[in-house]
Amino acid sequence: MEQPGTDGDADLAAGPDPELAATMGFSGFGKKARTFDFNALFEQTRRTAAERSRKVLEEREKAAAQKEEHGSQRDGVDRATAPSHTITRIPSGDSESSESEDSSDEELIGPPLPPRGPEEETEDDELIGPPLPPGYKGNDDDDEDEDDEEENMQDEDENPVKRIPDSHEITLHHGTKTVSALGLDPSGARLITGGYDYDVRFWDFAGMDASLQAFRSLQPCECHQIRSLQYSSTGDVILVVSGNSQAKVLDRDGFPVMECVKGDQYIVDMANTKGHTAMLNSGCWHPKIKEEFLTCSNDGTVRTWDVTDDKKHKGVFKPRSAQGKRVIPTSCTYSRDGKLIAAGCQDGSIQIWDRNMNVHTKFHCRQAHAPGTDMSCLTFSYDGTALASRGGDDTLKIWDIRQFKTPLNSVTGLPSFFPMTDCCFSPDDKLLVTGTSVKKGGGHGKLLFFERETFKKVYEIDVTDASVVRCLWHPKLNQIMVGTGNGLAKVYYDPIKSQRGAKLCVVKTKRKERQAETLTQDYIITPHALPMFREPRQRSTRKQLEKDRLDPLKSHKPEPPVAGPGRGGRVGTHGGTLSSYIVKNIALDKTDDSNPREAILRHAKEAEENPYWVAPAYSKTQPTAVFAEVESDEDETDDKPEWKKRKI
């Protein structure tokens, strides 16, 4: 075994002068690399670790013995319960072979473990974390609470009424007229409301405080009532259906993205036009394809559109009566999977097409509701097998599209005065919700809940003293939005069952109004201002008028309007061109110059008495003017024969 460093010293001694080498910059070139015996190093490290472990074990035994003696004297703890530790000592005089055979588990490397108290000896009683709150119950009580919660969940499953979030409500003031449209984005962050006052208001639950003010209001369709509002499946654009023939698409902030084209109203076949030609009734987005939406109109067509193409519709569906005549669709919707398109018509029929086949209907029911009434809403259940219809004949019906001839259940006596009265399914598909209409002063509008299987009325909410037009039950928020006939939009929620939404804004305190906003006039208060900046004291009215008369600007008389072509840099009232001036004078000239001879001789006497221009130069040579005498018309007419006389 070589000793480290011996060869290097010998080489340095035999090498060149160290000072010279350092000066030249190659002092380290002549050194030989050191060699290490790793086996010897590992053996030395193992021995050191074994010695440290032995010392640690001895100290730990002493500390444990002292604690046992102290614990037996003070608390009388039974030593038999203490765990026994088997410690194997490693004698210092053992050979290398015996040390290499020892287990690595018996060798403890590192700092000593903290001492254990008698109360930490049982692992079951160990508690990690902060102290338990007062009134905490043990594991048995936890099991009982879990059992109670499971029982409560089972009760809620059996009784869906307990899932209705109606313990709290907030009221959003849209305006004074009917709230005819409601829309909520898929995440539940923003609500939009539209009404008969042409306004569309945007409400942000996360940005509102307790004052519940909309952050934006606009009129996207000018003077047309809003009939439907809906966010797309991704929530980035909004479909606006109003009383005109062109639907609009807005972005989340209300800026226009696309407007549908208007069709040619003089073409008989509506399939040959590019768009609707009459008032829209309803519209909705495709549940899967974010660029496609659906509209229906009084022109007797249901059209599909693509947001990226505003020049022409994507597809057209034409509902027909039993005699093959055109009927008007008043409501339309997609199925949950987007494969079917349903339309409710004025003749009381419900017609359903395959989205890819627009010629013949796939399902239809001719006498779904009373003929001549507007079907205000169609909606599919979440499982896609049932269809609910809200008719203008004051009924609510549910259909199985696989057996579409007769309804599964129906309810009558639900008054509806609006062509957009809603109905919707609960998120668990067990309840069906709709609103009722009332006349002014005729009671309160109600939100009614019917069980889907039996159509039994299980619950009702007394909303307000006006009609309930729109209702929307959001599945993620578990909150119910209601639009009423007196301009209110109400949100019903439960602090425990509901998520986010209205819960975010009711906890925020109302912002204080700034003092600057309450002042009618802004004053700049400068205590040490110069006299020229001080506000003058108000004088009497008479003195103020006298002072104004001395001011040339205030006493300046307004100039009258310019008559003629204009002067002094001012344009005339009838234009500044010469032609306009001449035309004006010709129109206003009322002198009768029908006899030019008399017009010339009118100035003869004045020219003879006061010659000024030409007459003085020819005064000596000018002959005397002799004019013919004017003969009367009567004499001329007497000499003429009868056939030459002018007939009057």
Side-chain angles (χ1 to χ4, degrees):
M1 186 69 66
E2 294 182 357
Q3 297 295 330
T6 57
D7 296 338
D9 296 335
D11 294 339
L12 289 174
D17 186 6
E19 296 181 359
L20 180 61
T23 304
M24 297 299 292
F26 52 84
S27 59
F29 292 162
K31 291 184 180 181
K32 185 179 180 181
R34 296 180 63 183
T35 58
F36 299 95
D37 189 356
F38 290 101
N39 294 329
L41 293 176
F42 289 153
E43 186 66 25
Q44 185 179 358
T45 304
R46 193 181 64 78
R47 289 179 181 179
T48 304
E51 290 178 2
R52 289 182 180 177
S53 299
R54 186 177 63 254
K55 292 179 181 180
V56 170
L57 291 173
E58 290 177 356
E59 292 177 358
R60 191 175 297 169
E61 283 183 353
K62 291 179 182 180
Q66 291 177 0
K67 288 183 178 180
E68 287 178 359
E69 293 177 0
H70 182 67
S72 61
Q73 293 176 3
R74 185 179 64 178
D75 300 330
V77 178
D78 189 5
R79 295 185 180 181
T81 60
S84 60
H85 301 276
T86 303
I87 303 173
T88 305
R89 294 192 180 188
I90 303 174
S92 60
D94 291 344
S95 63
E96 296 178 0
S97 61
S98 63
E99 291 175 354
S100 61
E101 293 173 357
D102 292 337
S103 170
S104 61
D105 296 338
E106 297 175 352
E107 298 176 2
L108 300 177
I109 302 173
L113 296 174
R116 295 179 60 187
E119 65 276 0
E120 297 178 359
E121 292 177 355
T122 57
E123 296 181 357
D124 295 339
D125 297 332
E126 291 182 359
L127 296 176
I128 301 173
L132 296 174
Y136 175 76
K137 298 180 181 180
N139 296 331
D140 298 337
D141 296 334
D142 292 342
D143 296 338
E144 293 177 359
D145 293 341
E146 292 178 359
D147 295 339
D148 294 340
E149 290 179 0
E150 291 179 358
E151 292 178 359
N152 293 334
M153 292 294 292
Q154 291 178 359
D155 293 342
E156 289 186 0
D157 291 339
E158 296 175 358
N159 188 7
V161 178
K162 294 183 179 180
R163 294 188 176 184
I164 299 175
D166 67 330
S167 60
H168 295 68
E169 67 174 277
I170 61 172
T171 302
L172 307 176
H173 294 272
H174 172 85
T176 57
K177 295 187 178 181
T178 301
V179 177
S180 56
L182 284 177
L184 200 60
D185 67 341
S187 63
R190 285 187 177 181
L191 173 69
I192 49 175
T193 58
Y196 279 6
D197 55 357
Y198 322 134
D199 288 340
V200 174
R201 294 183 182 269
F202 292 74
W203 315 80
D204 190 353
F205 289 120
M208 281 194 303
D209 57 5
S211 62
L212 305 177
Q213 297 294 325
F215 73 91
R216 182 168 288 114
S217 176
L218 50 92
Q219 292 185 356
C221 302
E222 297 178 351
C223 57
H224 295 282
Q225 297 175 350
I226 307 300
R227 302 184 68 87
S228 178
L229 293 171
Q230 189 180 14
Y231 277 92
S232 64
S233 58
T234 56
D236 55 348
V237 286
I238 306 166
L239 174 62
V240 180
V241 177
S242 62
N244 62 354
S245 60
Q246 296 172 275
K248 286 189 176 183
V249 177
L250 311 178
D251 62 2
R252 285 182 62 86
D253 296 324
F255 298 101
V257 175
M258 174 255 192
E259 183 178 12
C260 297
V261 67
K262 186 176 182 180
D264 189 352
Q265 58 186 351
Y266 297 105
I267 296 179
V268 178
D269 188 2
M270 287 292 105
N272 295 328
T273 60
K274 298 180 179 180
H276 289 295
T277 61
M279 181 185 72
L280 298 176
N281 290 321
S282 180
C284 65
W285 286 98
H286 193 283
K288 303 294 183 183
I289 305 173
K290 66 177 183 178
E291 294 89 3
E292 182 178 326
F293 62 92
L294 180 72
T295 57
C296 65
S297 169
N298 278 355
D299 61 1
T301 60
V302 178
R303 299 175 191 260
T304 57
W305 303 82
D306 195 325
V307 176
T308 59
D309 184 15
D310 59 349
K311 302 298 183 184
K312 193 177 187 298
H313 61 257
K314 188 176 181 181
V316 59
F317 302 83
K318 296 187 291 184
R320 290 288 183 258
S321 64
Q323 293 79 22
K325 297 181 179 180
R326 184 179 69 177
V327 293
I328 296 176
T330 58
S331 61
C332 61
T333 185
Y334 280 104
S335 61
R336 295 291 175 176
D337 56 1
K339 296 180 179 179
L340 300 177
I341 293 177
C345 305
Q346 271 189 345
D347 64 345
S349 65
I350 299 177
Q351 305 185 27
I352 302 178
W353 296 269
D354 190 331
R355 175 178 164 270
N356 299 321
M357 299 176 63
N358 59 356
V359 179
H360 300 290
T361 58
K362 189 173 183 179
F363 309 101
H364 67 271
C365 181
R366 293 296 178 188
Q367 297 178 353
H369 290 273
T373 59
D374 291 345
M375 207 174 303
S376 59
C377 180
L378 288 176
T379 180
F380 281 88
S381 62
Y382 286 94
D383 57 12
T385 60
L387 174 68
S389 61
R390 183 73 161 92
D393 54 355
D394 301 343
T395 60
L396 175 66
K397 298 182 180 182
I398 186 169
W399 310 78
D400 188 344
I401 59 174
R402 296 165 295 187
Q403 299 175 355
F404 205 49
K405 297 301 180 183
T406 57
L408 297 178
N409 287 297
S410 64
V411 178
T412 59
L414 305 176
S416 173
F417 301 154
F418 295 88
M420 65 280 299
T421 303
D422 248 341
C423 64
C424 64
F425 285 91
S426 62
D428 58 359
D429 255 354
K430 293 184 178 181
L431 296 176
L432 190 57
V433 188
T434 189
T436 60
S437 301
V438 293
K439 295 183 179 180
K440 188 174 182 181
H444 286 71
K446 296 180 180 181
L447 194 65
L448 305 178
F449 296 80
F450 298 94
E451 193 173 358
R452 174 182 169 180
E453 299 297 332
T454 61
F455 248 49
K456 176 184 177 183
K457 187 174 75 171
V458 294
Y459 198 72
E460 68 177 27
I461 298 176
D462 199 351
V463 180
T464 183
D465 57 349
S467 302
V468 175
V469 182
R470 288 284 188 177
C471 61
L472 178 64
W473 195 336
H474 197 271
K476 287 187 178 180
L477 301 184
N478 194 24
Q479 299 179 12
I480 302 175
M481 287 70 182
V482 178
T484 64
N486 55 357
L488 302 180
K490 291 198 172 187
V491 182
Y492 292 91
Y493 69 97
D494 189 286
I496 299 174
K497 303 171 188 175
S498 302
Q499 305 293 330
R500 302 190 304 277
K503 294 169 60 178
L504 299 177
C505 57
V506 295
V507 297
K508 295 182 181 180
T509 57
K510 187 176 181 180
R511 296 190 187 97
K512 294 182 179 179
E513 295 182 358
R514 296 180 181 178
Q515 188 175 3
E517 297 176 355
T518 59
L519 297 176
T520 57
Q521 183 179 0
D522 295 336
Y523 291 94
I524 301 175
I525 301 173
T526 52
H528 305 288
L530 297 174
M532 61 184 298
F533 296 110
R534 294 176 185 171
E535 295 183 0
R537 189 175 55 185
Q538 184 67 27
R539 299 181 181 180
S540 63
T541 306
R542 184 175 59 83
K543 291 183 178 181
Q544 186 66 30
L545 292 176
E546 292 177 356
K547 186 178 179 180
D548 292 342
R549 293 288 72 80
L550 298 176
D551 190 352
L553 294 178
K554 294 183 178 180
S555 300
H556 179 67
K557 178 184 177 182
E559 295 184 4
V562 178
R567 61 178 182 274
R570 299 177 65 194
V571 181
T573 55
H574 293 278
T577 61
L578 178 62
S579 59
S580 63
Y581 173 69
I582 293 174
V583 169
K584 177 190 172 185
N585 287 343
I586 289 176
L588 297 178
D589 190 8
K590 297 182 180 180
T591 58
D592 186 12
D593 292 336
S594 58
N595 192 346
R597 183 173 179 277
E598 292 182 359
I600 294 174
L601 294 178
R602 189 166 45 198
H603 307 284
K605 185 177 180 181
E606 183 180 358
E608 184 180 358
E609 293 177 356
N610 299 315
Y612 183 77
W613 297 108
V614 182
Y618 300 97
S619 59
K620 296 180 179 180
T621 59
Q622 184 71 19
T624 303
V626 178
F627 298 103
E629 296 180 359
V630 179
E631 297 179 356
S632 62
D633 295 339
E634 296 178 356
D635 298 340
E636 293 179 359
T637 54
D638 294 341
D639 297 337
K640 292 180 180 180
E642 291 293 333
W643 58 274
K644 284 188 176 181
K645 291 183 180 179
R646 186 174 60 178
K647 297 180 180 179
I648 301 174

